[in-house]
Amino acid sequence: MIYNIYVLLSLVLLYLYYKSNYTKIEYINLIFAGLWVMFSIEYYTTIDYRVYYENFQFPPKGLWEPIYEWLVTIFRPTGYIFFNACMAAFEIFTICFMVKRLVYKEWYWLAILLFIADPNVVFNFMTVKRQFISMAVAMWIPYVLLFKEGKTRFLYAFIIFLVAVNIHTAAYMSILFFILPFVKKKPGRVVLILVAVLFVCCSGLLVNNLKILYKLLSLTGMASRYEFYLDILESSDMDDFAVGPVESICRIVSVFGMLWCIPKMSDAEYKITLISIAGYFFAAVLFADMWRLAWYFTMFNCIALPNMIRVFWNEYAKFISIPILLLILLIPLRQYYNVMSGNSSAHQMYKVQYFYTIFDDKVDKSFYSQEEM
């Protein structure tokens, strides 16, 4: 399967990058170029592909946000496949730029693996095509706020925010990024431990009171767009969305680890880590399709987690850092195996094992139902 081939080639390139003593950055660029190809040639593999492909020429009025509709209008003569490739180019460029800018070069390999080998990252982001464009736009907000000087950075960041929201309304979540410049001090270890304990206690908090969640979404005007998902949650058994014990341990260790390493981080690393920690909190209190609201924060995991591991690797004994590293890799790699072997119970991952492309002669275009396939 072509995606497995891409992952294997990426591992070879990462090895070559390591052998070059981390100097041959072109190997890293090739990996991201390959990822762009994967996003560009995917065809009826992800659950939302049908919606965007079949509505591209004649989208129902009001189906999409204004800037996305404007982009569709501009690219309509070229066809959806070319449009998808252009949007993917921006998305993957953004991820590549942020990894190279915010992660130490010795740890690029971990950032890349956490992105390309975790089905809940790469294939979910490939699925939510409009939202991933919005997420890539929103990713520039913290960068502008943390790395640019002067008060005009707030204006630039707000313009970016407006663009993201008008591509996908879930980007209202990124309004919280504007808090980052006002965070001046790092909390003490006692406070960090209390925050970690709070994380352990808060799982499922909002989903158990959907009325509160609906009111929170109403504040941003998003409630009508997410009413369908809320109705599904209300009629669902919450046990269906429960996280397994191993994944729960991995999440807890990740949050504890990031909090513990904060005193050893630079100011920018600290604030990017705060975004990732917020993502874990949102992922803990939201379920099913509401998880997508947390993705504006969890997309920074591939940056924050390598920076956390770097601190452990440099500051603590290897018998501490190595198990944490292996645990962080365990869940993505196990899920990757399950998805590619057809053993995943996740409905949206059912076709991924085939990874249909625009070059395939026989593509299953049926509705995304495991029972129908």
Side-chain angles (χ1 to χ4, degrees):
M1 196 273 288
I2 190 170
Y3 193 82
N4 288 330
I5 295 173
Y6 161 70
V7 171
L8 289 174
L9 290 175
S10 296
L11 292 176
V12 172
L13 290 169
L14 286 173
Y15 176 74
L16 293 174
Y17 177 64
Y18 165 74
K19 292 296 288 184
S20 74
N21 197 27
Y22 310 108
T23 59
K24 299 289 187 180
I25 197 67
E26 54 264 32
Y27 294 133
I28 301 300
N29 293 337
L30 281 172
I31 293 172
F32 282 105
L35 186 60
W36 167 70
V37 172
M38 293 297 102
F39 270 71
S40 300
I41 65 175
E42 180 254 331
Y43 189 64
Y44 277 91
T45 294
T46 53
I47 193 169
D48 284 356
Y49 192 92
R50 173 188 298 274
V51 175
Y52 292 103
Y53 182 81
E54 298 183 3
N55 287 292
F56 186 72
Q57 293 298 332
F58 303 102
K61 188 175 181 180
L63 177 65
W64 296 319
E65 288 81 354
I67 290 182
Y68 187 81
E69 286 189 347
W70 176 68
L71 290 170
V72 167
T73 300
I74 292 174
F75 281 90
R76 186 170 291 129
T78 66
Y80 178 74
I81 292 173
F82 181 77
F83 168 75
N84 184 46
C86 291
M87 296 301 104
F90 168 71
E91 295 160 354
I92 304 307
F93 167 79
T94 298
I95 299 296
C96 178
F97 178 88
M98 295 299 172
V99 166
K100 291 195 292 186
R101 182 68 177 83
L102 303 175
V103 177
Y104 289 81
K105 62 182 181 180
E106 295 85 358
W107 295 98
Y108 286 171
W109 68 271
L110 181 56
I112 289 170
L113 281 183
L114 290 174
F115 194 94
I116 70 172
D118 188 345
N120 287 331
V121 175
V122 65
F123 296 129
N124 276 339
F125 291 177
M126 192 181 292
T127 296
V128 293
K129 300 187 181 303
R130 188 174 91 261
Q131 181 174 345
F132 191 38
I133 302 170
S134 171
M135 289 163 59
V137 172
M139 208 169 191
W140 291 93
I141 298 174
Y143 181 79
V144 169
L145 291 174
L146 298 179
F147 293 96
K148 300 300 179 183
E149 300 292 336
K151 294 182 179 180
T152 54
R153 60 185 169 146
F154 290 97
L155 174 61
Y156 296 145
F158 187 68
I159 292 172
I160 295 170
F161 170 75
L162 291 179
V163 171
V165 166
N166 281 282
I167 294 174
H168 197 289
T169 52
Y172 275 113
M173 296 294 290
S174 62
I175 193 71
L176 295 176
F177 294 160
F178 287 86
I179 299 173
L180 295 175
F182 302 101
V183 178
K184 299 300 183 183
K185 294 183 179 181
K186 297 178 183 177
R189 281 266 163 77
V190 174
V191 175
L192 296 175
I193 292 172
L194 290 175
V195 172
V197 172
L198 176 63
F199 169 74
V200 175
C201 299
C202 75
S203 182
L205 181 65
L206 283 183
V207 79
N208 290 326
N209 196 331
L210 294 175
K211 290 182 180 179
I212 294 177
L213 183 55
Y214 185 87
K215 288 179 180 178
L216 290 174
L217 292 172
S218 297
L219 295 176
T220 63
M222 294 161 57
S224 60
R225 289 184 176 271
Y226 284 85
E227 192 168 6
F228 170 74
Y229 303 122
L230 291 170
D231 289 341
I232 291 177
L233 281 176
E234 195 167 21
S235 61
S236 298
D237 183 354
M238 290 300 107
D239 290 338
D240 294 340
F241 308 115
V243 176
V246 177
E247 186 168 355
S248 295
I249 292 172
C250 184
R251 291 185 180 189
I252 291 169
V253 169
S254 297
V255 171
F256 267 84
M258 285 189 286
L259 288 167
W260 187 260
C261 291
I262 279 175
K264 300 289 186 178
M265 293 180 176
S266 69
D267 185 68
E269 290 170 351
Y270 160 50
K271 290 173 181 177
I272 294 297
T273 299
L274 288 181
I275 297 175
S276 182
I277 292 170
Y280 277 98
F281 270 90
F282 284 123
V285 301
L286 300 171
F287 283 75
D289 287 293
M290 302 310 298
W291 270 323
R292 64 177 60 205
L293 297 176
W295 290 345
Y296 286 88
F297 300 84
T298 60
M299 65 181 173
F300 286 91
N301 288 357
C302 66
I303 295 169
L305 290 175
N307 288 337
M308 176 196 79
I309 292 296
R310 183 193 66 85
V311 173
F312 274 111
W313 198 265
N314 293 338
E315 300 289 336
Y316 300 97
K318 295 299 183 284
F319 72 86
I320 296 176
S321 54
I322 290 177
I324 294 174
L325 172 61
L326 293 177
L327 183 62
I328 286 173
L329 286 172
L330 173 65
I331 296 300
L333 295 180
R334 186 183 70 169
Q335 291 175 339
Y336 184 87
Y337 171 79
N338 288 337
V339 167
M340 292 308 177
S341 63
N343 294 321
S344 174
S345 59
H347 171 68
Q348 73 274 18
M349 298 292 178
Y350 187 72
K351 285 186 183 180
V352 168
Q353 59 183 307
Y354 307 108
F355 203 88
Y356 300 114
T357 74
I358 57 176
F359 304 111
D360 290 330
D361 294 327
K362 295 182 179 180
V363 176
D364 188 341
K365 297 183 179 180
S366 62
F367 284 98
Y368 218 98
S369 171
Q370 188 167 343
E371 291 73 18
E372 293 176 1
M373 300 184 61

mmCIF file of all heavy atoms in Angstrom, residues 216-255:
data_model
loop_
_atom_site.group_PDB
_atom_site.id
_atom_site.type_symbol
_atom_site.label_atom_id
_atom_site.label_comp_id
_atom_site.label_asym_id
_atom_site.label_seq_id
_atom_site.Cartn_x
_atom_site.Cartn_y
_atom_site.Cartn_z
ATOM 1 N N LEU A 216 -21.606 27.062 25.479
ATOM 2 C CA LEU A 216 -20.264 27.543 25.178
ATOM 3 C C LEU A 216 -20.075 27.731 23.676
ATOM 4 O O LEU A 216 -19.486 28.711 23.222
ATOM 5 C CB LEU A 216 -19.219 26.564 25.722
ATOM 6 C CG LEU A 216 -19.087 26.495 27.249
ATOM 7 C CD1 LEU A 216 -18.124 25.395 27.649
ATOM 8 C CD2 LEU A 216 -18.616 27.838 27.805
ATOM 9 N N LEU A 217 -20.598 26.787 22.886
ATOM 10 C CA LEU A 217 -20.501 26.901 21.437
ATOM 11 C C LEU A 217 -21.360 28.050 20.918
ATOM 12 O O LEU A 217 -21.018 28.690 19.924
ATOM 13 C CB LEU A 217 -20.929 25.586 20.775
ATOM 14 C CG LEU A 217 -19.986 24.393 20.995
ATOM 15 C CD1 LEU A 217 -20.612 23.113 20.461
ATOM 16 C CD2 LEU A 217 -18.650 24.636 20.319
ATOM 17 N N SER A 218 -22.466 28.315 21.600
ATOM 18 C CA SER A 218 -23.361 29.398 21.176
ATOM 19 C C SER A 218 -22.670 30.756 21.278
ATOM 20 O O SER A 218 -22.968 31.679 20.512
ATOM 21 C CB SER A 218 -24.632 29.403 22.035
ATOM 22 O OG SER A 218 -25.366 28.208 21.853
ATOM 23 N N LEU A 219 -21.757 30.902 22.204
ATOM 24 C CA LEU A 219 -21.053 32.169 22.381
ATOM 25 C C LEU A 219 -20.262 32.563 21.138
ATOM 26 O O LEU A 219 -20.023 33.741 20.880
ATOM 27 C CB LEU A 219 -20.108 32.087 23.585
ATOM 28 C CG LEU A 219 -20.772 31.906 24.954
ATOM 29 C CD1 LEU A 219 -19.724 31.734 26.039
ATOM 30 C CD2 LEU A 219 -21.675 33.102 25.272
ATOM 31 N N THR A 220 -19.864 31.561 20.361
ATOM 32 C CA THR A 220 -19.080 31.817 19.153
ATOM 33 C C THR A 220 -19.902 31.671 17.881
ATOM 34 O O THR A 220 -19.372 31.820 16.782
ATOM 35 C CB THR A 220 -17.889 30.846 19.075
ATOM 36 O OG1 THR A 220 -18.388 29.501 18.966
ATOM 37 C CG2 THR A 220 -17.015 30.954 20.305
ATOM 38 N N GLY A 221 -21.175 31.348 18.021
ATOM 39 C CA GLY A 221 -22.008 31.141 16.842
ATOM 40 C C GLY A 221 -21.801 29.789 16.196
ATOM 41 O O GLY A 221 -22.257 29.547 15.077
ATOM 42 N N MET A 222 -21.129 28.869 16.889
ATOM 43 C CA MET A 222 -20.822 27.564 16.318
ATOM 44 C C MET A 222 -21.871 26.508 16.643
ATOM 45 O O MET A 222 -21.825 25.397 16.113
ATOM 46 C CB MET A 222 -19.450 27.088 16.836
ATOM 47 C CG MET A 222 -18.279 27.924 16.366
ATOM 48 S SD MET A 222 -16.798 27.686 17.392
ATOM 49 C CE MET A 222 -16.557 25.917 17.253
ATOM 50 N N ALA A 223 -22.812 26.830 17.522
ATOM 51 C CA ALA A 223 -23.738 25.809 18.015
ATOM 52 C C ALA A 223 -24.552 25.172 16.889
ATOM 53 O O ALA A 223 -24.745 23.956 16.860
ATOM 54 C CB ALA A 223 -24.677 26.419 19.061
ATOM 55 N N SER A 224 -25.023 25.998 15.935
ATOM 56 C CA SER A 224 -25.864 25.454 14.861
ATOM 57 C C SER A 224 -25.094 24.473 13.989
ATOM 58 O O SER A 224 -25.647 23.469 13.527
ATOM 59 C CB SER A 224 -26.411 26.595 14.006
ATOM 60 O OG SER A 224 -25.346 27.339 13.426
ATOM 61 N N ARG A 225 -23.807 24.747 13.773
ATOM 62 C CA ARG A 225 -22.998 23.860 12.936
ATOM 63 C C ARG A 225 -22.665 22.553 13.649
ATOM 64 O O ARG A 225 -22.402 21.541 13.011
ATOM 65 C CB ARG A 225 -21.701 24.564 12.516
ATOM 66 C CG ARG A 225 -21.935 25.684 11.507
ATOM 67 C CD ARG A 225 -20.625 26.292 11.058
ATOM 68 N NE ARG A 225 -20.827 27.297 10.030
ATOM 69 C CZ ARG A 225 -20.854 27.043 8.719
ATOM 70 N NH1 ARG A 225 -20.693 25.801 8.305
ATOM 71 N NH2 ARG A 225 -21.043 28.013 7.851
ATOM 72 N N TYR A 226 -22.655 22.561 14.990
ATOM 73 C CA TYR A 226 -22.279 21.367 15.744
ATOM 74 C C TYR A 226 -23.479 20.699 16.409
ATOM 75 O O TYR A 226 -23.316 19.738 17.157
ATOM 76 C CB TYR A 226 -21.222 21.722 16.788
ATOM 77 C CG TYR A 226 -19.863 21.917 16.164
ATOM 78 C CD1 TYR A 226 -19.492 23.148 15.627
ATOM 79 C CD2 TYR A 226 -18.969 20.870 16.066
ATOM 80 C CE1 TYR A 226 -18.258 23.327 15.031
ATOM 81 C CE2 TYR A 226 -17.732 21.031 15.473
ATOM 82 C CZ TYR A 226 -17.381 22.264 14.956
ATOM 83 O OH TYR A 226 -16.159 22.437 14.343
ATOM 84 N N GLU A 227 -24.683 21.192 16.118
ATOM 85 C CA GLU A 227 -25.882 20.619 16.721
ATOM 86 C C GLU A 227 -26.045 19.154 16.348
ATOM 87 O O GLU A 227 -26.448 18.329 17.167
ATOM 88 C CB GLU A 227 -27.119 21.419 16.285
ATOM 89 C CG GLU A 227 -28.368 21.087 17.089
ATOM 90 C CD GLU A 227 -29.485 22.083 16.828
ATOM 91 O OE1 GLU A 227 -29.326 22.945 15.942
ATOM 92 O OE2 GLU A 227 -30.506 22.003 17.518
ATOM 93 N N PHE A 228 -25.698 18.823 15.083
ATOM 94 C CA PHE A 228 -25.791 17.443 14.619
ATOM 95 C C PHE A 228 -24.906 16.532 15.462
ATOM 96 O O PHE A 228 -25.306 15.460 15.903
ATOM 97 C CB PHE A 228 -25.384 17.362 13.143
ATOM 98 C CG PHE A 228 -25.227 15.964 12.626
ATOM 99 C CD1 PHE A 228 -26.327 15.172 12.368
ATOM 100 C CD2 PHE A 228 -23.956 15.434 12.401
ATOM 101 C CE1 PHE A 228 -26.178 13.872 11.899
ATOM 102 C CE2 PHE A 228 -23.792 14.141 11.930
ATOM 103 C CZ PHE A 228 -24.909 13.361 11.675
ATOM 104 N N TYR A 229 -23.668 16.973 15.729
ATOM 105 C CA TYR A 229 -22.738 16.167 16.509
ATOM 106 C C TYR A 229 -23.193 16.056 17.966
ATOM 107 O O TYR A 229 -23.031 15.012 18.605
ATOM 108 C CB TYR A 229 -21.332 16.774 16.452
ATOM 109 C CG TYR A 229 -20.801 16.931 15.042
ATOM 110 C CD1 TYR A 229 -20.411 18.172 14.548
ATOM 111 C CD2 TYR A 229 -20.697 15.835 14.199
ATOM 112 C CE1 TYR A 229 -19.919 18.317 13.255
ATOM 113 C CE2 TYR A 229 -20.212 15.964 12.908
ATOM 114 C CZ TYR A 229 -19.828 17.210 12.445
ATOM 115 O OH TYR A 229 -19.357 17.341 11.168
ATOM 116 N N LEU A 230 -23.749 17.143 18.500
ATOM 117 C CA LEU A 230 -24.241 17.117 19.871
ATOM 118 C C LEU A 230 -25.406 16.144 20.014
ATOM 119 O O LEU A 230 -25.521 15.440 21.021
ATOM 120 C CB LEU A 230 -24.665 18.522 20.300
ATOM 121 C CG LEU A 230 -23.534 19.541 20.470
ATOM 122 C CD1 LEU A 230 -24.105 20.939 20.666
ATOM 123 C CD2 LEU A 230 -22.639 19.168 21.630
ATOM 124 N N ASP A 231 -26.266 16.101 18.996
ATOM 125 C CA ASP A 231 -27.403 15.164 19.028
ATOM 126 C C ASP A 231 -26.917 13.718 19.029
ATOM 127 O O ASP A 231 -27.478 12.848 19.711
ATOM 128 C CB ASP A 231 -28.329 15.400 17.827
ATOM 129 C CG ASP A 231 -29.112 16.702 17.949
ATOM 130 O OD1 ASP A 231 -29.209 17.228 19.080
ATOM 131 O OD2 ASP A 231 -29.599 17.203 16.916
ATOM 132 N N ILE A 232 -25.866 13.456 18.252
ATOM 133 C CA ILE A 232 -25.297 12.112 18.222
ATOM 134 C C ILE A 232 -24.755 11.743 19.600
ATOM 135 O O ILE A 232 -24.978 10.639 20.103
ATOM 136 C CB ILE A 232 -24.178 12.018 17.160
ATOM 137 C CG1 ILE A 232 -24.774 12.124 15.748
ATOM 138 C CG2 ILE A 232 -23.398 10.704 17.302
ATOM 139 C CD1 ILE A 232 -23.737 12.106 14.649
ATOM 140 N N LEU A 233 -24.041 12.683 20.213
ATOM 141 C CA LEU A 233 -23.489 12.431 21.542
ATOM 142 C C LEU A 233 -24.587 12.152 22.567
ATOM 143 O O LEU A 233 -24.470 11.271 23.405
ATOM 144 C CB LEU A 233 -22.654 13.626 22.000
ATOM 145 C CG LEU A 233 -21.245 13.745 21.419
ATOM 146 C CD1 LEU A 233 -20.605 15.035 21.907
ATOM 147 C CD2 LEU A 233 -20.391 12.558 21.810
ATOM 148 N N GLU A 234 -25.671 12.921 22.457
ATOM 149 C CA GLU A 234 -26.743 12.792 23.433
ATOM 150 C C GLU A 234 -27.405 11.425 23.364
ATOM 151 O O GLU A 234 -27.872 10.900 24.369
ATOM 152 C CB GLU A 234 -27.783 13.898 23.209
ATOM 153 C CG GLU A 234 -28.736 14.069 24.374
ATOM 154 C CD GLU A 234 -29.522 15.353 24.268
ATOM 155 O OE1 GLU A 234 -29.641 15.897 23.143
ATOM 156 O OE2 GLU A 234 -30.022 15.834 25.300
ATOM 157 N N SER A 235 -27.436 10.837 22.170
ATOM 158 C CA SER A 235 -28.091 9.536 21.992
ATOM 159 C C SER A 235 -27.099 8.379 22.041
ATOM 160 O O SER A 235 -27.476 7.230 21.822
ATOM 161 C CB SER A 235 -28.833 9.507 20.655
ATOM 162 O OG SER A 235 -27.925 9.692 19.580
ATOM 163 N N SER A 236 -25.835 8.662 22.326
ATOM 164 C CA SER A 236 -24.797 7.630 22.294
ATOM 165 C C SER A 236 -24.462 7.152 23.697
ATOM 166 O O SER A 236 -24.689 7.842 24.694
ATOM 167 C CB SER A 236 -23.527 8.161 21.622
ATOM 168 O OG SER A 236 -23.768 8.521 20.290
ATOM 169 N N ASP A 237 -23.922 5.963 23.735
ATOM 170 C CA ASP A 237 -23.384 5.424 24.978
ATOM 171 C C ASP A 237 -21.969 5.964 25.142
ATOM 172 O O ASP A 237 -21.104 5.721 24.303
ATOM 173 C CB ASP A 237 -23.360 3.899 24.917
ATOM 174 C CG ASP A 237 -22.883 3.264 26.212
ATOM 175 O OD1 ASP A 237 -22.458 4.008 27.118
ATOM 176 O OD2 ASP A 237 -22.924 2.026 26.311
ATOM 177 N N MET A 238 -21.725 6.713 26.204
ATOM 178 C CA MET A 238 -20.424 7.349 26.380
ATOM 179 C C MET A 238 -19.289 6.327 26.501
ATOM 180 O O MET A 238 -18.125 6.635 26.251
ATOM 181 C CB MET A 238 -20.430 8.249 27.612
ATOM 182 C CG MET A 238 -21.269 9.504 27.450
ATOM 183 S SD MET A 238 -20.687 10.554 26.085
ATOM 184 C CE MET A 238 -21.976 10.277 24.884
ATOM 185 N N ASP A 239 -19.633 5.081 26.856
ATOM 186 C CA ASP A 239 -18.605 4.045 26.946
ATOM 187 C C ASP A 239 -17.993 3.751 25.585
ATOM 188 O O ASP A 239 -16.866 3.247 25.492
ATOM 189 C CB ASP A 239 -19.194 2.758 27.533
ATOM 190 C CG ASP A 239 -19.539 2.906 29.014
ATOM 191 O OD1 ASP A 239 -18.963 3.807 29.658
ATOM 192 O OD2 ASP A 239 -20.380 2.133 29.514
ATOM 193 N N ASP A 240 -18.747 4.058 24.512
ATOM 194 C CA ASP A 240 -18.229 3.828 23.156
ATOM 195 C C ASP A 240 -17.038 4.720 22.850
ATOM 196 O O ASP A 240 -16.243 4.413 21.958
ATOM 197 C CB ASP A 240 -19.329 4.078 22.108
ATOM 198 C CG ASP A 240 -20.455 3.062 22.206
ATOM 199 O OD1 ASP A 240 -20.219 1.980 22.787
ATOM 200 O OD2 ASP A 240 -21.556 3.352 21.701
ATOM 201 N N PHE A 241 -16.920 5.833 23.563
ATOM 202 C CA PHE A 241 -15.846 6.787 23.300
ATOM 203 C C PHE A 241 -14.769 6.760 24.384
ATOM 204 O O PHE A 241 -13.890 7.609 24.404
ATOM 205 C CB PHE A 241 -16.413 8.211 23.189
ATOM 206 C CG PHE A 241 -17.552 8.321 22.203
ATOM 207 C CD1 PHE A 241 -18.824 8.647 22.632
ATOM 208 C CD2 PHE A 241 -17.342 8.073 20.866
ATOM 209 C CE1 PHE A 241 -19.874 8.753 21.729
ATOM 210 C CE2 PHE A 241 -18.379 8.171 19.960
ATOM 211 C CZ PHE A 241 -19.648 8.509 20.383
ATOM 212 N N ALA A 242 -14.868 5.784 25.274
ATOM 213 C CA ALA A 242 -13.910 5.708 26.373
ATOM 214 C C ALA A 242 -12.504 5.420 25.850
ATOM 215 O O ALA A 242 -12.321 4.656 24.907
ATOM 216 C CB ALA A 242 -14.337 4.635 27.368
ATOM 217 N N VAL A 243 -11.535 6.049 26.459
ATOM 218 C CA VAL A 243 -10.132 5.826 26.104
ATOM 219 C C VAL A 243 -9.615 4.652 26.915
ATOM 220 O O VAL A 243 -9.889 4.532 28.108
ATOM 221 C CB VAL A 243 -9.301 7.096 26.398
ATOM 222 C CG1 VAL A 243 -7.825 6.836 26.122
ATOM 223 C CG2 VAL A 243 -9.808 8.256 25.558
ATOM 224 N N GLY A 244 -8.874 3.755 26.260
ATOM 225 C CA GLY A 244 -8.345 2.574 26.923
ATOM 226 C C GLY A 244 -7.321 2.922 27.989
ATOM 227 O O GLY A 244 -6.782 4.035 28.020
ATOM 228 N N PRO A 245 -7.025 1.984 28.877
ATOM 229 C CA PRO A 245 -6.107 2.268 29.997
ATOM 230 C C PRO A 245 -4.704 2.635 29.550
ATOM 231 O O PRO A 245 -4.082 3.521 30.144
ATOM 232 C CB PRO A 245 -6.112 0.957 30.799
ATOM 233 C CG PRO A 245 -6.627 -0.094 29.846
ATOM 234 C CD PRO A 245 -7.571 0.621 28.941
ATOM 235 N N VAL A 246 -4.178 1.973 28.502
ATOM 236 C CA VAL A 246 -2.822 2.285 28.045
ATOM 237 C C VAL A 246 -2.756 3.700 27.476
ATOM 238 O O VAL A 246 -1.835 4.461 27.768
ATOM 239 C CB VAL A 246 -2.356 1.258 26.985
ATOM 240 C CG1 VAL A 246 -0.966 1.644 26.457
ATOM 241 C CG2 VAL A 246 -2.323 -0.142 27.571
ATOM 242 N N GLU A 247 -3.770 4.058 26.662
ATOM 243 C CA GLU A 247 -3.785 5.407 26.100
ATOM 244 C C GLU A 247 -3.988 6.446 27.194
ATOM 245 O O GLU A 247 -3.411 7.535 27.137
ATOM 246 C CB GLU A 247 -4.868 5.527 25.035
ATOM 247 C CG GLU A 247 -4.847 6.863 24.311
ATOM 248 C CD GLU A 247 -5.724 6.894 23.068
ATOM 249 O OE1 GLU A 247 -6.282 5.841 22.699
ATOM 250 O OE2 GLU A 247 -5.849 7.979 22.483
ATOM 251 N N SER A 248 -4.799 6.116 28.192
ATOM 252 C CA SER A 248 -4.991 7.042 29.316
ATOM 253 C C SER A 248 -3.673 7.286 30.040
ATOM 254 O O SER A 248 -3.336 8.433 30.373
ATOM 255 C CB SER A 248 -6.026 6.475 30.300
ATOM 256 O OG SER A 248 -7.297 6.392 29.704
ATOM 257 N N ILE A 249 -2.917 6.218 30.272
ATOM 258 C CA ILE A 249 -1.614 6.352 30.930
ATOM 259 C C ILE A 249 -0.677 7.203 30.081
ATOM 260 O O ILE A 249 0.042 8.075 30.588
ATOM 261 C CB ILE A 249 -1.000 4.963 31.190
ATOM 262 C CG1 ILE A 249 -1.821 4.223 32.249
ATOM 263 C CG2 ILE A 249 0.460 5.088 31.635
ATOM 264 C CD1 ILE A 249 -1.416 2.779 32.437
ATOM 265 N N CYS A 250 -0.711 6.979 28.754
ATOM 266 C CA CYS A 250 0.148 7.748 27.849
ATOM 267 C C CYS A 250 -0.196 9.232 27.909
ATOM 268 O O CYS A 250 0.710 10.080 27.958
ATOM 269 C CB CYS A 250 -0.005 7.221 26.426
ATOM 270 S SG CYS A 250 1.093 8.026 25.243
ATOM 271 N N ARG A 251 -1.484 9.559 27.922
ATOM 272 C CA ARG A 251 -1.899 10.962 28.002
ATOM 273 C C ARG A 251 -1.462 11.593 29.319
ATOM 274 O O ARG A 251 -0.969 12.732 29.350
ATOM 275 C CB ARG A 251 -3.424 11.073 27.853
ATOM 276 C CG ARG A 251 -3.955 10.742 26.469
ATOM 277 C CD ARG A 251 -5.447 11.005 26.414
ATOM 278 N NE ARG A 251 -6.007 10.693 25.104
ATOM 279 C CZ ARG A 251 -7.252 10.994 24.732
ATOM 280 N NH1 ARG A 251 -8.049 11.610 25.584
ATOM 281 N NH2 ARG A 251 -7.692 10.685 23.529
ATOM 282 N N ILE A 252 -1.654 10.848 30.401
ATOM 283 C CA ILE A 252 -1.291 11.374 31.720
ATOM 284 C C ILE A 252 0.212 11.604 31.815
ATOM 285 O O ILE A 252 0.672 12.655 32.291
ATOM 286 C CB ILE A 252 -1.765 10.407 32.829
ATOM 287 C CG1 ILE A 252 -3.305 10.414 32.896
ATOM 288 C CG2 ILE A 252 -1.174 10.798 34.181
ATOM 289 C CD1 ILE A 252 -3.890 9.315 33.762
ATOM 290 N N VAL A 253 0.997 10.632 31.330
ATOM 291 C CA VAL A 253 2.452 10.775 31.350
ATOM 292 C C VAL A 253 2.884 11.961 30.492
ATOM 293 O O VAL A 253 3.788 12.724 30.864
ATOM 294 C CB VAL A 253 3.128 9.473 30.871
ATOM 295 C CG1 VAL A 253 4.621 9.696 30.623
ATOM 296 C CG2 VAL A 253 2.925 8.366 31.892
ATOM 297 N N SER A 254 2.231 12.133 29.330
ATOM 298 C CA SER A 254 2.586 13.254 28.452
ATOM 299 C C SER A 254 2.334 14.587 29.124
ATOM 300 O O SER A 254 3.181 15.497 29.082
ATOM 301 C CB SER A 254 1.780 13.167 27.142
ATOM 302 O OG SER A 254 2.098 11.990 26.420
ATOM 303 N N VAL A 255 1.170 14.727 29.767
ATOM 304 C CA VAL A 255 0.836 15.984 30.441
ATOM 305 C C VAL A 255 1.754 16.208 31.640
ATOM 306 O O VAL A 255 2.311 17.311 31.814
ATOM 307 C CB VAL A 255 -0.646 15.994 30.874
ATOM 308 C CG1 VAL A 255 -0.932 17.199 31.766
ATOM 309 C CG2 VAL A 255 -1.554 16.024 29.652
#
